[in-house]
Amino acid sequence: MPAAFELAPPSVKGKVRRVSSVNATSEEMANSPTVVVPPKHMMSPSNAHETAATMEMAKHHLEDLSQGSTPQTPPPTTVTDKYAFAFDIDGVLIRGGHVIPEAIEAMKVLNGENEYGIKIPYIFVTNGGGKTEQERCLQLSKQLDMEVSPGQFICGHTPMREMAEKYKTVLVVGGEGEKCRHVAEGYGFTDVVTPGDIIKDNKETTPFRTLTAEEYKNSRSRDFSQVDIEAIFVFADSRAWASDQQIILDLMMSKNGRLGTRSETFDEGPPVFFSHNDIVWATAYDFVRIGMGALRTSVEALFKAVTGKEAHTTAFGKPQIGTYQFATRLLQQWRKETHGINQPPETVYFVGDTPESDIRGTNEFNDSGKATNEWYSILVKSGVYQPGTEPAFKPKATVDTVLDAVKHGMAREFTKALRARITEAAAGLDAMSLLQDHASAVVDDNVESPLVTVGNPNAITA
């Protein structure tokens, strides 16, 4: 291997003369090594370099865009470690079971089909539930025509899995058939009861509801006079409000969660947890439909009407701070395992359609002091939010569709990066100006300088 070597600056045998660019003559420049400098008033500090740098970068950016019609080999994409996205699903990507057209294009942009040649990590945070995360991912993958991993997916009830070690025998409410029971068991709950089990044991519990043959077959036989239910979890929207409310209310008024008993103080029942608190949600219908938050409101109102006391229930999901903390941990884990990025992003863009949950939760988490980065709220007009109305909780940006939200976030990040580069370039030019001042001082003292060496006839003019 050849020895390393350094290029030494060319030697200067004669003295270097300093000539003003205002009155320099060709004769003066031809005789000996010469440095031509601008007048002193033109060397004062200026922000002109910022304008020049901006114009130059914009020029290259426009040139790249103008060459889009020429077939070229696309550059390899890289994964940005600066920012990420988090998406609500209903009203943002899906409405009434059908994909919103712009959603597919938005996912393509995030996955690298964009003018910047980058991929952006993202997760999904929905208040919906009633299915395992794996089932929801399979469904969303088919709808968006792309692969969605359970590692980037949070249902409203996902954080409840952290409570499996605390409670043994629990009642799980909502959803279709036995799905919520299976979800709870998958989370590690060891003894899961459904309303169907209770009705099968005593049909008089809910006089206006009779189990279908399939429901009766799937429900588990049990003597509930010997069972203490430790907690109630509403995993998904109820399909039978009247009977579910009746059973929840019975347990709230019971002694230690045993059906058929009544507490004298009405404060001995099991705690009640709802996976989210959305009063309404967007479907294929023209107007929003009531959701789990309405059930929670109804149960609390019934409890007060019957007992005269306030009910104290707990909601997970958005806008609860805990959901955003959980999302932060999930996003960091996803970035590390999938993209090899072992640090939180500087900014998370949260895209939602409901001001009362998506926007409120994002803003409050960002301002809570518990967020380790910036959470930036973007409201889309494709779901619950009705254009022309004033949202109760103001987003940082309001756009038409999820595709517009993605473009807005990327453009904001491009602008931030551009400003940082201009600032960096400005600092570099300021350093060069100091060197130039130093060189001028050296020349004035008639000292040979290796910093500026100009030989005849190629003088450098500034």
Side-chain angles (χ1 to χ4, degrees):
M1 185 173 180
F5 63 94
E6 296 182 359
L7 280 176
S11 61
V12 182
K13 295 182 179 179
K15 294 277 199 290
V16 178
R17 295 185 304 118
R18 184 171 183 254
V19 179
S20 170
S21 64
V22 173
N23 52 21
T25 66
S26 57
E27 182 179 355
E28 289 174 319
M29 295 175 62
N31 291 330
S32 63
T34 306
V35 173
V36 182
V37 296
K40 193 169 185 178
H41 73 274
M42 294 182 66
M43 296 175 65
S44 59
S46 168
N47 65 353
H49 56 269
E50 294 189 12
T51 304
T54 303
M55 292 179 66
E56 185 66 17
M57 294 184 72
K59 173 186 173 184
H60 290 309
H61 184 59
L62 290 174
E63 287 176 350
D64 291 341
L65 292 178
S66 66
Q67 294 172 357
S69 58
T70 303
Q72 294 181 350
T73 302
T77 56
T78 58
V79 180
T80 178
D81 61 351
K82 296 296 184 183
Y83 63 105
F85 278 85
F87 297 97
D88 181 28
I89 294 179
D90 292 312
V92 176
L93 305 172
I94 308 295
R95 178 157 185 163
H98 302 288
V99 65
I100 295 173
E102 291 83 359
I104 294 177
E105 185 63 26
M107 295 300 108
K108 290 180 180 178
V109 170
L110 291 171
N111 288 327
E113 295 185 24
N114 57 70
E115 62 193 85
Y116 306 105
I118 60 172
K119 293 182 179 180
I120 303 103
Y122 55 92
I123 60 172
F124 303 97
V125 184
T126 175
N127 275 349
K131 301 177 181 177
T132 65
E133 286 78 3
Q134 288 82 356
E135 286 183 276
R136 288 301 303 266
C137 287
L138 285 173
Q139 182 182 23
L140 190 61
S141 296
K142 292 179 181 178
Q143 291 170 319
L144 295 178
D145 193 26
M146 56 172 274
E147 182 180 353
V148 177
S149 167
Q152 59 185 146
F153 202 97
I154 300 177
C155 293
H157 48 63
T158 302
M160 292 179 175
R161 67 188 181 193
E162 297 183 340
M163 306 180 75
E165 294 183 1
K166 183 175 182 180
Y167 300 108
K168 180 179 181 292
T169 302
V170 299
L171 172 69
V172 171
V173 178
E176 301 173 357
E178 296 286 292
K179 289 184 177 180
C180 284
R181 191 202 304 266
H182 298 153
V183 172
E185 291 174 341
Y187 287 169
F189 290 98
T190 58
D191 188 11
V192 181
V193 174
T194 68
D197 298 344
I198 294 172
I199 298 172
K200 184 174 184 177
D201 179 57
N202 185 353
K203 64 180 182 180
E204 300 303 327
T205 305
T206 56
F208 299 118
R209 181 186 174 190
T210 302
L211 298 178
T212 65
E214 183 178 1
E215 288 174 333
Y216 190 88
K217 176 183 176 183
N218 292 331
S219 298
R220 300 173 184 175
S221 297
R222 194 158 189 178
D223 180 5
F224 282 97
S225 66
Q226 304 300 315
V227 176
D228 291 338
I229 294 176
E230 301 172 19
I232 301 168
F233 292 94
V234 183
F235 267 34
D237 287 296
S238 169
R239 269 58 171 179
W241 272 48
S243 59
D244 287 350
Q245 286 182 107
Q246 181 67 73
I247 292 171
I248 293 172
L249 193 62
D250 281 344
L251 287 169
M252 291 174 71
M253 296 189 297
S254 71
K255 292 178 67 68
N256 301 317
R258 182 162 295 194
L259 288 165
T261 67
R262 275 291 182 271
S263 170
E264 295 178 1
T265 57
F266 299 118
D267 60 1
E268 300 175 272
V272 185
F273 302 98
F274 292 82
S275 65
H276 67 84
N277 195 40
D278 284 353
I279 298 290
V280 296
W281 64 298
T283 71
Y285 194 70
D286 292 339
F287 301 102
V288 294
R289 305 288 85 187
I290 58 175
M292 189 182 297
L295 176 65
R296 182 190 184 196
T297 300
S298 176
V299 166
E300 291 179 346
L302 285 170
F303 183 85
K304 184 173 183 179
V306 174
T307 68
K309 292 191 172 184
E310 297 289 339
H312 299 287
T313 65
T314 302
F316 287 82
K318 302 164 292 184
Q320 312 305 321
I321 296 295
T323 295
Y324 289 86
Q325 291 175 312
F326 190 90
T328 298
R329 296 194 296 272
L330 182 79
L331 181 58
Q332 187 161 347
Q333 182 178 352
W334 173 250
R335 280 161 50 96
K336 179 180 179 181
E337 294 180 354
T338 306
H339 303 296
I341 304 172
N342 191 21
Q343 63 185 35
E346 295 177 5
T347 304
V348 179
Y349 292 94
F350 193 99
V351 184
D353 71 310
T354 308
E356 290 74 17
S357 60
D358 300 320
I359 305 307
R360 176 186 177 184
T362 304
N363 291 349
E364 290 182 354
F365 181 55
N366 186 63
D367 298 336
S368 67
K370 297 180 180 180
T372 57
N373 43 21
E374 178 193 21
W375 281 69
Y376 185 98
S377 58
I378 304 179
L379 179 66
V380 295
K381 302 177 183 178
S382 53
V384 169
Y385 170 68
Q386 297 295 315
T389 63
E390 188 72 18
F393 298 91
K394 304 294 190 298
K396 297 291 180 62
T398 301
V399 297
D400 290 332
T401 70
V402 64
L403 179 59
D404 297 320
V406 169
K407 290 181 177 180
H408 173 81
M410 294 181 72
R412 182 172 181 262
E413 290 298 319
F414 177 78
T415 301
K416 286 164 60 176
L418 186 62
R419 287 174 178 167
R421 290 178 65 181
I422 290 174
T423 301
E424 183 180 349
L429 288 174
D430 288 342
M432 289 180 64
S433 178
L434 290 173
L435 288 174
Q436 188 176 30
D437 289 342
H438 175 71
S440 298
V442 170
V443 172
D444 283 340
D445 291 337
N446 290 322
V447 177
E448 295 182 3
S449 171
L451 294 176
V452 183
T453 303
V454 184
N456 180 47
N458 298 316
I460 296 179
T461 60

